[in-house]
């Protein structure tokens, strides 16, 4: 299965403020629903739910939800 740390890295790579280096992840929540195998293709959806908060959902190709993640960012 995919390593839990890889999930965190994968979602952090999709947050513009973290990529720009202007913010840090001040809150990080992961909710696992269905295991993914290493190198399995996933569909990822991102929604900015507040000014500094993002919600991610990843789905297996069969449509089954894999993981839900919430990341809150704070300026450096």
């Amino acid at each position: 299965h995919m390593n839990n740390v890889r999930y965190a890295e994968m979602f952090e790579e999709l947050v513009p403020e973290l990529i720009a280096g202007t913010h840090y992840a001040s809150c990080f929540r992961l909710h696992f629903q269905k295991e993914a195998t290493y190198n399995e293709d996933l569909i990822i959806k991102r929604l900015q739910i507040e000014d500094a908060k993002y919600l991610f959902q990843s789905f297996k190709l069969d449509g089954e939800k894999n993981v839900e993640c919430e990341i809150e960012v704070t300026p450096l």
Side-chain angles (χ1 to χ4, degrees):
H1 69 89
M2 193 158 101
N3 185 294
N4 295 350
V5 173
R6 182 62 192 122
Y7 280 107
E9 294 169 346
M10 178 176 69
F11 293 126
E12 285 179 339
E13 291 170 358
L14 300 172
V15 177
E17 296 91 339
L18 297 178
I19 294 168
T22 59
H23 292 62
Y24 67 95
S26 54
C27 185
F28 197 99
R29 293 182 190 92
L30 279 171
H31 176 70
F32 296 95
Q33 294 177 290
K34 184 70 176 180
E35 183 176 83
T37 58
Y38 182 72
N39 279 337
E40 181 176 1
D41 289 331
L42 297 172
I43 298 165
I44 298 172
K45 295 183 179 185
R46 179 185 76 182
L47 176 66
Q48 188 169 358
I49 54 177
E50 290 178 22
D51 223 17
K53 193 180 287 185
Y54 294 87
L55 175 66
F56 295 91
Q57 294 177 325
S58 63
F59 297 85
K60 297 167 81 65
L61 295 184
D62 65 5
E64 197 168 17
K65 190 184 293 182
N66 165 249
V67 171
E68 206 166 82
C69 175
E70 186 178 298
I71 300 176
E72 191 169 342
V73 296
T74 300
L76 293 172

